[in-house]
Amino acid sequence: MQRRKFITRSALGATTAASLAAPALAQGQHPEIRWRLASSYPKTLDTIYGAVDLAVKRVAELTDGRFRISLHGAGELVPPLQVLDAVMDGTVEAGHSASYFYIGRDPAFGFGTAMPFGLNTRGQNAWLYEGGGNDVLNEFYAGFGLYHLPIGNTGAQMAGWYRKEIKTVDDLKGLKFRIGGLGGMVLSKLGVVPQQLAAGDLYPSLEKGVIDAAEFVGPYDDEKLGLHKVAKFYYYPGWWEGSATLPLFINQKAWAALPAAYQAAVKAASAEANQWSTAKYDIGNPAALKRLVSGGAQLRAFPKPVMDASFTAAGQLYQELAEKSPAFRKIHAHWSKFRDEQLLWQQFCEQPFDTYMASTRRRS
C-alpha cells in the first residue's frame, strides 16, 4: 500500500515538475494566430525570398506552431510594388519589400533599404541594431501605421547591365535605366531616365528595348533573372547600394495585438534571416560572377569622373530633400553622422586591410 502511494506521489510530482519546466507556449497559454505575409519578390530569388521563408518557419518553431505566417510571392496576393499599401490598410498583416520603392510617399523611406554613397553592410547593421537606426525609422513608420524589422541584406551590389559602355558622364544622358529609390533621383540629375520595375519585369523590358540598362542585386540573382542574356556590359560598383536592407513591414495594430513572446519570436527570426541572407550572397556571388564572365559578360568599372559627378549630385539631392521633408532631414542628420564615424574607422583599418588582401589575389 505504502509502495503504491509512493509511486503515485512520485508520478504526480514528476508530472507537476515537467509541467512547471515546460515552456509556456507548450502549455497553450498563448493563442493560435495566423498571419499572411506578401512579398514584392518572386520565389525564384531563393536568397531575398528565402530569408523570409526561413524567418516564418523559425517563428512557427519558436512558438510550437501556435503562431504561423503564410508567405506569398510577388503578385500572389497583391502587385509587387503595392505591398506597403496592403500592410497599411490591413489587407495583409505583414509585407516584405524594399522601402525605397515608396519614396513617392516621403523620401525618408529610402533610409530603410539603401542610400546612395551610404553605409556598407556592417555599418548598416550597426546603425540599425546598435546605432539607433531602427528606432528613428520606426518613429517615422509609425505615422503610416507600420512597424519595421530588418529581415535581409544583400551586401554591396553591382551597378547593373548595360547595352552600351559608359565611358563619360555624357553617356548617361537619355539612358533608360531600371533603378529604384533615391539612386534613380541622383542619376536623373545626370540625364538618366530612371524606371522603377519589379524583378519579374526586368528581363522582358531589357530584351524588348523598353529600357537600356537594368540593375538588380548582384551576380547570384542577376544570373537567375537572365539579365546577362540581353545586355553584356556589367558595371560596378553599385554606389546607390553599398548594402541593401530588405525590411519586414508589419501592420502596427497587428503587431501591438501579438503576445510579447510572439513579438520576441518575430524579432529573433528576422535577425537570423538578416544575417543568413548576407552569408548566402557571399557564398553565391563569387561562383556566379565566374560563370557570367566565362559566358561572355564584360566587367567594367564606372570611370572616376562618373563616380565623382554622381557623388556631387547625391549631395545636392540630399540638401533638396531635407528642405522639403522634415522626416528626411531628421533621419539624414542621424544617419550621416553615423556614416561619417564609420568611414573614419574604415579609413584606418577596414579599407587598408581589404585593399591589401585584394592585391594579394592579383599576385597569386
Side-chain angles (χ1 to χ4, degrees):
M1 227 19 210
Q2 292 298 321
R3 182 171 176 274
R4 276 200 219 94
K5 287 181 181 178
F6 175 77
I7 292 172
T8 302
R9 286 197 199 99
S10 298
L12 286 171
T15 302
T16 302
S19 177
L20 289 172
L25 294 180
Q27 298 177 50
Q29 294 180 3
H30 291 286
E32 291 192 1
I33 295 178
R34 301 291 180 265
W35 273 12
R36 295 193 302 171
L37 195 165
S39 178
S40 291
Y41 300 96
K43 296 177 180 179
T44 51
L45 298 177
D46 62 356
T47 306
I48 288 182
Y49 185 91
V52 187
D53 189 47
L54 180 153
V56 299
K57 289 175 180 175
R58 187 72 76 235
V59 166
E61 291 172 357
L62 292 171
T63 62
D64 288 334
R66 301 190 69 80
F67 181 22
R68 293 187 179 275
I69 304 171
S70 61
L71 175 59
H72 303 268
E76 290 183 8
L77 295 180
V78 296
L81 301 184
Q82 293 180 24
V83 165
L84 192 78
D85 301 79
V87 180
M88 287 172 59
D89 64 24
T91 300
V92 294
E93 289 81 8
H96 169 235
S97 193
S99 68
Y100 60 35
F101 288 160
Y102 311 102
I103 57 172
R105 292 180 177 274
D106 192 302
F109 270 96
F111 290 99
T113 290
M115 298 293 288
F117 298 102
L119 294 158
N120 66 9
T121 306
R122 285 181 59 177
Q124 178 80 347
N125 283 333
W127 179 61
L128 290 170
Y129 289 113
E130 295 295 329
N134 272 337
D135 294 334
V136 295
L137 287 177
N138 275 321
E139 182 182 344
F140 166 66
Y141 291 139
F144 298 87
L146 300 167
Y147 181 78
H148 144 275
L149 289 168
I151 200 167
N153 192 308
T154 66
Q157 297 193 4
M158 295 289 283
W161 300 85
Y162 300 71
R163 291 182 177 278
K164 65 176 185 178
E165 292 188 80
I166 306 298
K167 296 180 179 179
T168 69
V169 176
D170 286 340
D171 290 330
L172 295 173
K173 293 179 179 177
L175 186 78
K176 293 176 290 184
F177 185 24
R178 183 276 179 187
I179 178 171
L182 295 170
M185 296 178 72
V186 172
L187 286 170
S188 68
K189 288 181 171 292
L190 304 179
V192 169
V193 182
Q195 310 285 318
Q196 184 151 284
L197 300 170
D201 296 328
L202 301 193
Y203 181 92
S205 297
L206 197 55
E207 181 185 37
K208 296 173 184 177
V210 175
I211 54 177
D212 305 309
E215 63 82 34
F216 189 60
V217 174
Y220 186 74
D221 281 345
D222 293 357
E223 183 183 40
K224 288 179 178 294
L225 295 177
L227 303 182
H228 58 291
K229 299 176 182 178
V230 284
K232 67 178 181 178
F233 297 108
Y234 200 18
Y235 272 85
Y236 64 90
W239 48 259
W240 44 87
E241 293 180 81
S243 75
T245 299
L246 283 305
L248 174 66
F249 288 115
I250 303 172
N251 181 279
Q252 199 172 47
K253 291 181 179 178
W255 176 254
L258 283 183
Y262 290 4
Q263 290 183 349
V266 174
K267 288 179 179 179
S270 298
E272 180 185 359
N274 191 55
Q275 178 71 19
W276 174 86
S277 64
T278 305
K280 181 82 158 43
Y281 275 119
D282 284 345
I283 290 293
N285 278 328
L289 183 61
K290 289 179 181 179
R291 290 192 297 269
L292 290 168
V293 171
S294 65
Q298 298 188 30
L299 288 174
R300 296 287 188 275
F302 276 141
K304 190 173 185 299
V306 172
M307 293 291 291
D308 290 343
S310 300
F311 183 82
T312 299
Q316 293 171 350
L317 177 67
Y318 292 160
Q319 289 181 346
E320 294 168 7
L321 295 177
E323 292 173 2
K324 297 177 181 178
S325 165
F328 185 94
R329 181 167 61 251
K330 179 178 180 179
I331 300 174
H332 181 263
H334 187 280
W335 172 87
S336 60
K337 181 177 184 294
F338 187 91
R339 181 193 60 177
D340 291 347
E341 291 173 351
Q342 286 290 300
L343 289 173
L344 178 66
W345 164 243
Q346 292 172 28
Q347 177 183 353
F348 291 106
C349 188
E350 298 288 342
Q351 184 180 4
F353 177 77
D354 290 344
T355 300
Y356 179 78
M357 291 306 297
S359 72
T360 64
R361 182 183 180 278
R362 290 194 293 270
R363 295 201 301 269
S364 61

